[in-house]
Amino acid sequence: MEQDKFGMLQGMMEKLGDSTMDRRGFLRATGKVAAVSFALTLAGALGEAPKVRAEALFKSYPFTLGIASGDPLPDGVVLWTRLAPDPLNGGGMPSHDVPVRWEVATDKDFRHVVRHGVEFARAALAHSVHVEVDGLKPNHVYYYRFHAGKEHSPVGRTKTLPPYGSAVAGMTFAFASCQNWQDGYYTAYKHMSKDNLDLVFHLGDYIYEGGIGTDKVRSHNSPEIVTLEDYRNRYALYKSDADLRASHEAFPWVVTTDDHEVENNYAGPIPEKDQPIEPFVQRRAAAYQAYYEHMPLRRSSLPHGAEIQLYRRLAYGNLAEFSVLDTRQYRDDQANGDGSKEPNEASMDPNRTLTGTAQEQWLLKGLGASRARWNVIAQQVFFAKRDFKQGDGELLSMDAWDGYSANRDRIVNYIHSHGVRNVVVLTGDVHANFANEIKADFSDPASPVVGVEFVGTSISSGGDGADTASSTAAVLAENPHIRFHNTQRGYVRCTLTPERFQADYLVLPYVSRPDAPISTRVSFQVEAGRPGLKKIYDSALVVTG
């Protein structure tokens, strides 16, 4: 196996000498060289026999970053923790692997333990632990905890999925994104942790890579992060937030990245600015490894250098099928220098892709084969068309699906032509709430609605926000398929039954100080078999007093 990898690396190096290779091909080839080199280093470290210590000794409490569960199945779930007695300074652990005991029980007091075992906290992975528990009952709540030496973790709650294809009366989940530490407090997670949820989806920007800002609510712990150690310390800072840890403890999470887990607006192997490609690919590899080390992901998502497998699918009985996308790793560079631009030849080029060909085909094949009542696409960037310009002409985001319109058109056309039913897109990224109808042809207001998009605001990014932004009226006027816009912080709670899909937009009046109250700003419903948005509650229309 090692010989095969070294042969692959040698072949890639030979291709770099091909003078006929264009810039994009050169960038991708250079990136693969760096990725394979990084993967060999990591694989070698993980392949060593663990140096077992019967009793782990810690300078202080090792479970400072909390615990989490994720990627549930009908018979199991991933359990996560990371040992870090000195979390903001590399973790403070010895250089050897450490055994960690884990338990799963049907009760909070662990009188009825149903699964237990030992997993190594690997030094090569920052002493993180990823336990793939199996043999559990479908659609059941379980409690879990870890033990390292004489220390014990908090107790977490998780839940398995219903059996594949089984009849399910309902489910409730939340989705969130964009939690810049410096912009505000994570009060939304405090409220979320007390909600009654089956799942939480995080759509990216779990951390932000930037340096120490000025006039911020809270401060980052270093200049802009670049190395593996930098990224690890940044995750440790974000996970020091008690409200974030509480939400992880309360529910299983399904996670995917956007851009800030690596660098703002990066595109595949191409950095945001005119930087050398090889150092960026090494940076991306470090960022992906740190992401894996801090998330409840399966071994199938263990990075191979600068590549990580994140797009995947979950089925919640026959009620819903969730396709989780990765819209950063495989995309072409943004058209026309990024930013907001008029539609142009590059942005409409059918050969350019946001998802990559393999992921696009995987998505379409899954949608076509689905027998679920609701087909949910959990992804990062604005899917519907969004024109920023009033009057004649258009101004579109080159970073969103508008900048890769042919890729979006292929998906929308497939949904429309194949009769894929009850499609719901979940989106983050833009630090604002939107509710959109997905049109078969966005240039024709009379074209049929083929699905809906719920865009959730940020947890903290952008600061306090406002109920109505200065751009709200213009956005709604120019885009009749956009039915709602708001820039307060919070999260979206979704409740599904076979008959309807309801999205409640939960918002906070401020994040610049702790303990803000939360309220429902607006609620939309979609009736099964009738794509389109129906507003059922709007706090702006409620008469008080």
Side-chain angles (χ1 to χ4, degrees):
M1 183 67 177
E2 284 297 299
Q3 187 64 39
D4 291 343
K5 289 179 180 177
F6 280 112
M8 184 190 307
L9 184 60
Q10 182 178 2
M12 289 177 181
M13 290 298 294
E14 290 172 354
K15 287 183 179 180
L16 288 181
D18 184 356
S19 61
T20 65
M21 185 177 292
D22 62 15
R23 178 179 181 271
R24 184 177 295 161
F26 177 81
L27 293 176
R28 294 192 182 279
T30 306
K32 288 181 179 180
V33 170
V36 171
S37 176
F38 189 94
L40 291 175
T41 302
L42 179 58
L46 292 179
E48 294 175 359
K51 300 175 181 178
V52 179
R53 296 293 188 272
E55 192 75 9
L57 301 176
F58 308 105
K59 296 179 180 178
S60 58
Y61 185 63
F63 296 103
T64 55
L65 305 184
I67 59 176
S69 68
D71 276 11
L73 296 172
D75 65 344
V77 69
V78 178
L79 306 181
W80 171 91
T81 192
R82 179 190 164 201
L83 304 181
D86 189 8
L88 299 181
N89 296 289
M93 288 291 293
S95 59
H96 56 74
D97 300 337
V98 175
V100 176
R101 292 173 292 136
W102 57 269
E103 296 176 291
V104 176
T106 58
D107 64 299
K108 296 179 182 178
D109 298 322
F110 289 81
R111 288 188 293 265
H112 303 287
V113 174
V114 294
R115 288 289 183 274
H116 62 88
V118 175
E119 190 75 37
F120 284 97
R122 295 279 193 167
L125 293 174
H127 291 94
S128 60
V129 178
H130 298 77
V131 183
E132 296 188 19
V133 183
D134 58 14
L136 303 179
K137 294 181 178 180
N139 205 27
H140 271 60
V141 171
Y142 290 96
Y143 300 88
Y144 64 97
R145 64 186 178 186
F146 298 92
H147 311 275
K150 297 179 180 180
E151 301 288 356
H152 311 286
S153 77
V155 173
R157 173 191 177 278
T158 192
K159 187 178 181 182
T160 54
L161 300 183
Y164 293 113
S166 63
V168 177
M171 73 168 297
T172 303
F173 69 87
F175 69 92
S177 64
C178 304
Q179 52 199 50
N180 193 325
W181 174 272
Q182 298 191 123
D183 284 353
Y185 292 96
Y186 295 169
T187 311
Y189 284 132
K190 181 177 182 179
H191 294 287
M192 183 189 290
S193 67
K194 300 172 184 177
D195 215 331
N196 184 20
L197 306 174
D198 297 297
L199 280 172
V200 172
F201 288 85
H202 196 282
L203 304 182
D205 294 347
Y206 192 99
I207 63 167
Y208 278 68
E209 80 284 10
I212 301 170
T214 57
D215 299 323
K216 294 293 186 178
V217 176
R218 304 189 284 187
S219 294
H220 275 156
N221 53 343
S222 71
E224 182 165 349
I225 54 178
V226 176
T227 68
L228 178 57
E229 187 83 351
D230 292 341
Y231 282 100
R232 286 170 171 171
N233 289 338
R234 186 60 57 84
Y235 277 101
L237 176 68
Y238 277 53
K239 284 182 173 287
S240 70
D241 188 284
D243 294 335
L244 174 59
R245 295 199 310 274
S247 184
H248 272 298
E249 290 175 12
F251 316 109
W253 281 39
V254 179
V255 301
T256 187
T257 65
D258 194 11
D259 53 340
H260 287 288
E261 286 87 354
V262 181
E263 181 194 51
N264 180 56
N265 280 19
Y266 81 95
I270 303 171
E272 179 188 21
K273 299 175 182 177
D274 189 18
Q275 302 157 293
I277 186 65
E278 189 167 356
F280 172 72
V281 173
Q282 293 284 3
R283 179 185 184 180
R284 195 178 92 164
Y288 284 173
Q289 180 177 336
Y291 184 77
Y292 176 82
E293 291 171 350
H294 291 86
M295 294 296 138
L297 289 165
R298 295 185 177 275
R299 283 185 289 272
S300 56
S301 292
L302 179 68
H304 296 278
E307 298 179 358
I308 184 171
Q309 179 64 46
L310 288 175
Y311 67 84
R312 59 206 189 278
R313 191 169 283 119
L314 292 85
Y316 204 90
N318 67 356
L319 181 62
E321 187 166 275
F322 296 89
S323 297
V324 182
L325 302 190
D326 176 351
T327 62
R328 285 288 162 193
Q329 187 175 182
Y330 312 106
R331 67 159 67 193
D332 286 304
D333 200 5
Q334 290 90 347
N336 203 20
D338 204 356
S340 296
K341 305 289 172 57
E342 292 184 0
N344 51 77
E345 183 178 356
S347 71
M348 296 183 288
D349 183 351
N351 295 314
R352 294 179 64 259
T353 178
L354 186 72
T355 60
T357 301
Q359 184 177 196
E360 179 183 334
Q361 293 303 314
W362 168 87
L363 174 62
L364 298 182
K365 183 178 180 180
L367 291 173
S370 173
R371 298 295 176 264
R373 177 58 59 103
W374 298 98
N375 289 288
V376 184
I377 303 173
Q379 56 96 52
Q380 296 79 4
V381 295
F382 213 92
F383 188 83
K385 184 176 181 179
R386 183 173 51 144
D387 181 9
F388 297 96
K389 186 176 182 180
Q390 289 183 275
D392 296 336
E394 293 179 330
L395 198 61
L396 308 177
S397 170
M398 295 296 100
D399 187 58
W401 288 86
D402 277 335
Y404 304 79
S405 57
N407 195 168
R408 178 181 61 200
D409 290 346
R410 289 192 295 271
I411 295 170
V412 171
N413 291 340
Y414 184 93
I415 292 169
H416 188 41
S417 64
H418 287 72
V420 180
R421 60 181 183 173
N422 303 323
V423 174
V424 177
V425 177
L426 310 178
T427 300
D429 182 57
V430 294
H431 311 167
N433 289 312
F434 291 85
N436 309 326
E437 293 181 332
I438 300 172
K439 309 286 284 186
D441 181 357
F442 284 108
S443 64
D444 179 8
S447 69
V449 176
V450 301
V452 301
E453 178 182 20
F454 296 119
V455 181
T457 188
S458 61
I459 291 292
S460 61
S461 301
D464 287 339
D467 182 43
T468 302
S470 59
S471 61
T472 298
V475 167
L476 296 179
E478 286 294 323
N479 304 274
H481 56 278
I482 297 180
R483 300 283 302 280
F484 175 68
H485 178 218
N486 161 282
T487 63
Q488 291 172 291
R489 308 297 152 232
Y491 66 94
V492 181
R493 179 181 60 217
C494 299
T495 304
L496 289 66
T497 69
E499 295 75 34
R500 61 187 56 87
F501 188 118
Q502 179 168 325
D504 302 317
Y505 288 77
L506 303 171
V507 298
L508 305 166
Y510 52 84
V511 293
S512 53
R513 56 189 191 278
D515 300 325
I518 198 165
S519 61
T520 301
R521 174 59 185 83
V522 70
S523 296
F524 285 93
Q525 278 188 358
V526 184
E527 295 181 12
R530 299 181 64 183
L533 294 170
K534 178 182 178 182
K535 186 187 293 185
I536 62 169
Y537 175 79
D538 188 336
S539 64
L541 303 179
V542 175
V543 178
T544 60

